Amino acid sequence: MHAVWHLLEIVYVTTNSGLSASVVPYYMEWLNFNFPAPAAADGERIIGSSPDSNALAQNPDVWPYVQKLALRGHVTTVANMLERIAPAQVLSAAASRWARELAQTARDMPLASSDETSGSFNARWRRWNSGLQSMATNIGSMLDKADDDALSALAMVVDVMRGDADSISRVGDTWQDVLGAVLLYSEPTAQTERLPALAQLVLEQFESDDFTLVDRTLAALVRHELPEFLVYCNQIDAWLSAHVSDLMQHIGILDSCRRVFKVEPREHYLVFLGERYLTHEGLWRVAMDYFGLCRTRVSQNIMGEYIVRMPLESDRKAQQVLRVCERYKLTEAMERVHRQLGRQKWQRGRLGAAIAHFVRVNDSSAVGQICDQLWAEYLASGQLTYGPIIDSVLATSAHDRVRFLTVYRDFHECYKGGEFKRAGKLLLSILVGEIAPSHAVPDLLVDSIPLLEGDALVFGADDTLELMRCAESVAQSLVDSDV
């Protein structure tokens, strides 16, 4: 996958100007990093088994190794190997001479710099390549007169470095090898727009039936056949197609795929990958992020349906789910989760937490039922113990039942503390404000009796009239219920 991603970056993301716009150094770096050749172990073995230059020159593996080095652009190593071979007495004088000449030529290979003009570099390159052409002509003349295996092998190295297409094809094992050498030695300033034409010429030399899936993917990329490239990416891995299509969208090259695909490719592959992750329980959060990148109705529906079916085993898991809902604006799913959590907390006796969840979704009925439960527990025990529960939700709830329990708790504390006047005002505010449930009004009126009978004047005339009105209302409701 790295090879595919890396090459996509080189072809479509890496942009520069001048000589640095050449794709060649980036392609060669990609090639040698992802498909290293020849193996360093081969060079160590060849040198290790050859104690001197004569043994090295006679080693049957040395010339194929040098040719592979040249093909991959390892010109410094080529020069080092030739300098080791050149002193060998088993070589002809011509082979020794041209080995030294080629070693120096390899070291002199022009390298582009960012502050050099294209004209200047091309002039240096033509002079260097002209030297190789002359060298090939001279070596060829010598070989016409006499057979010389070493000189013939050396000629192949020269031919590769001068950009001879047939020689490059004979030495190269893969189309990636051949394309790299063609770029390096024939078109060293080629830009990415040149890749499709060059790649096509190279690929025609190989049997596509022998290509691996990665070969097909890379070939489609260098030919700029993006729909085919994206399909191959998905065959390699769903992660790759999702991320590649996302990158293609961001750099503006996905339109060619949209004209071919029946679905929106980026969203299709992101959803596909997200669904794959949903099969692993521990990766649900990752899946949500992939769905969230789509921001389509389909992805929103998948997220919502999955979330409401998730088991919420812990508060930590519940908070993660709610954060996902908030981040991706899954309003309906968030409401259902809050209701589910509210019911869970209610069943477990965590009434404050339950109220908080029901308040978030404006479920007045559930909030009222829990408050009624707290009131009933108080009446049954005579102990007002719900204070901490109410305090925990005061900041988030303005529900009448919550206010009723809060004010009644304050009344209770004032009464116990001997603040009868303040207690009376609080009790009257509950009755006048009608924030108490109707079934609690009789109990509140009973609480007013000690304040009416006390030595201190707690209620004025108007207050007493309000109490009487409430009492009459209770009496009338009892009559109505009997009827």
Side-chain angles (χ1 to χ4, degrees):
M1 285 199 298
H2 179 271
V4 175
W5 187 266
H6 190 183
L7 187 58
L8 175 64
E9 177 186 345
I10 289 170
V11 175
Y12 285 106
V13 180
T14 303
T15 55
N16 292 295
S17 59
L19 277 177
S20 57
S22 170
V23 73
V24 178
Y26 299 105
Y27 181 89
M28 295 307 297
E29 178 188 12
W30 168 83
L31 178 63
N32 287 312
F33 180 85
N34 292 283
F35 306 99
D42 290 344
E44 294 171 359
R45 176 180 52 78
I46 291 169
I47 294 173
S49 62
S50 307
D52 55 34
S53 59
N54 285 321
L56 185 59
Q58 292 175 316
N59 192 314
D61 296 327
V62 70
W63 289 113
Y65 178 70
V66 174
Q67 290 162 7
K68 294 289 186 185
L69 287 173
L71 187 78
R72 284 301 190 93
H74 302 305
V75 291
T76 300
T77 310
V78 168
N80 292 337
M81 291 296 292
L82 292 176
E83 287 169 352
R84 283 174 175 265
I85 296 170
Q89 295 178 351
V90 296
L91 294 180
S92 65
S96 294
R97 173 198 165 192
W98 288 114
R100 290 188 178 91
E101 289 277 349
L102 183 56
Q104 186 57 51
T105 300
R107 293 193 187 280
D108 292 339
M109 180 177 174
L111 298 175
S113 60
S114 58
D115 58 351
E116 185 177 19
T117 65
S118 297
S120 172
F121 174 77
N122 287 330
R124 291 197 298 123
W125 182 268
R126 283 193 295 271
R127 285 195 298 272
W128 181 79
N129 185 261
S130 177
L132 284 169
Q133 299 290 350
S134 298
M135 189 181 299
T137 300
N138 290 329
I139 293 175
S141 298
M142 293 179 182
L143 289 173
D144 288 339
K145 298 174 183 177
D147 291 336
D148 186 327
D149 291 342
L151 194 59
S152 178
L154 191 64
M156 180 63 75
V157 179
V158 174
D159 287 340
V160 168
M161 293 178 65
R162 70 184 179 89
D164 179 68
D166 291 337
S167 300
I168 290 173
S169 297
R170 284 198 293 273
V171 175
D173 294 325
T174 68
W175 68 262
Q176 293 94 331
D177 275 344
V178 175
L179 179 59
V182 169
L183 286 167
L184 182 63
Y185 295 121
S186 297
E187 301 202 26
T189 59
Q191 299 186 9
T192 55
E193 294 79 5
R194 183 74 176 121
L195 277 180
L198 291 176
Q200 187 59 39
L201 290 174
V202 170
L203 287 164
E204 288 173 354
Q205 303 171 29
F206 291 83
E207 288 291 336
S208 60
D209 291 343
D210 297 332
F211 286 179
T212 66
L213 179 56
V214 172
D215 285 331
R216 297 177 190 278
T217 308
L218 297 172
L221 177 57
V222 295
R223 287 188 303 215
H224 293 189
E225 296 173 350
L226 296 181
E228 185 178 349
F229 165 67
L230 200 49
V231 170
Y232 285 141
C233 284
N234 194 54
Q235 292 176 13
I236 293 174
D237 194 274
W239 184 95
L240 183 61
S241 56
H243 284 262
V244 163
S245 60
D246 185 57
L247 177 61
M248 290 168 68
Q249 164 77 11
H250 282 86
I251 61 180
I253 60 172
L254 198 58
D255 285 345
S256 61
C257 298
R258 291 192 177 100
R259 291 190 288 269
V260 176
F261 283 69
K262 293 182 179 179
V263 295
E264 176 63 30
R266 173 180 176 271
E267 293 162 3
H268 170 75
Y269 287 123
L270 286 172
V271 168
F272 181 73
L273 180 60
E275 289 176 331
R276 290 277 295 272
Y277 281 138
L278 285 184
T279 62
H280 302 274
E281 184 178 348
L283 297 176
W284 72 270
R285 183 68 180 81
V286 178
M288 294 298 112
D289 287 339
Y290 281 107
F291 291 133
L293 286 172
C294 298
R295 300 191 181 280
T296 63
R297 182 175 297 178
V298 172
S299 63
Q300 294 285 97
N301 289 341
I302 293 174
M303 294 169 74
E305 289 301 317
Y306 183 83
I307 279 176
V308 298
R309 294 197 303 268
M310 285 186 66
L312 305 176
E313 310 94 346
S314 65
D315 288 343
R316 181 173 179 271
K317 178 76 167 290
Q319 291 305 312
Q320 286 181 329
V321 170
L322 289 172
R323 281 196 295 270
V324 168
C325 291
E326 184 175 1
R327 179 175 181 179
Y328 296 114
K329 296 179 174 55
L330 304 174
T331 306
E332 184 178 345
M334 179 181 286
E335 289 183 0
R336 293 174 66 177
V337 170
H338 273 302
R339 292 181 194 280
Q340 179 183 349
L341 290 170
R343 289 191 295 270
Q344 285 184 1
K345 306 303 182 189
W346 193 353
Q347 292 169 0
R348 296 170 185 172
R350 297 175 59 185
L351 302 184
I355 291 174
H357 285 295
F358 287 128
V359 165
R360 288 292 300 272
V361 294
N362 298 317
D363 192 336
S364 298
S365 175
V367 173
Q369 290 178 55
I370 296 174
C371 290
D372 287 348
Q373 178 180 330
L374 292 171
W375 179 253
E377 290 173 358
Y378 160 66
L379 293 178
S381 67
Q383 301 295 318
L384 198 153
T385 58
Y386 63 71
I389 295 174
I390 294 301
D391 288 340
S392 68
V393 296
L394 272 178
T396 58
S397 175
H399 194 280
D400 280 351
R401 297 295 177 85
V402 175
R403 287 174 53 214
F404 158 59
L405 293 178
T406 303
V407 177
Y408 186 80
R409 186 269 310 273
D410 295 342
F411 156 76
H412 205 271
E413 290 179 350
C414 288
Y415 188 87
K416 285 174 60 178
E419 299 179 52
F420 300 125
K421 190 121 180 129
R422 176 169 171 73
K425 287 182 178 180
L426 291 170
L427 186 61
L428 198 62
S429 70
I430 295 174
L431 293 167
V432 174
E434 297 181 352
I435 61 175
S438 58
H439 62 75
V441 173
D443 299 302
L444 297 175
L445 290 172
V446 170
D447 285 333
S448 70
I449 294 174
L451 296 175
L452 290 167
E453 295 176 344
D455 296 333
L457 180 63
V458 174
F459 298 114
D462 292 340
D463 297 339
T464 305
L465 286 174
E466 283 293 339
L467 292 172
M468 290 174 64
R469 183 187 63 78
C470 291
E472 288 173 359
S473 177
V474 171
Q476 185 60 48
S477 65
L478 292 173
V479 171
D480 293 342
S481 62
D482 290 340
V483 175

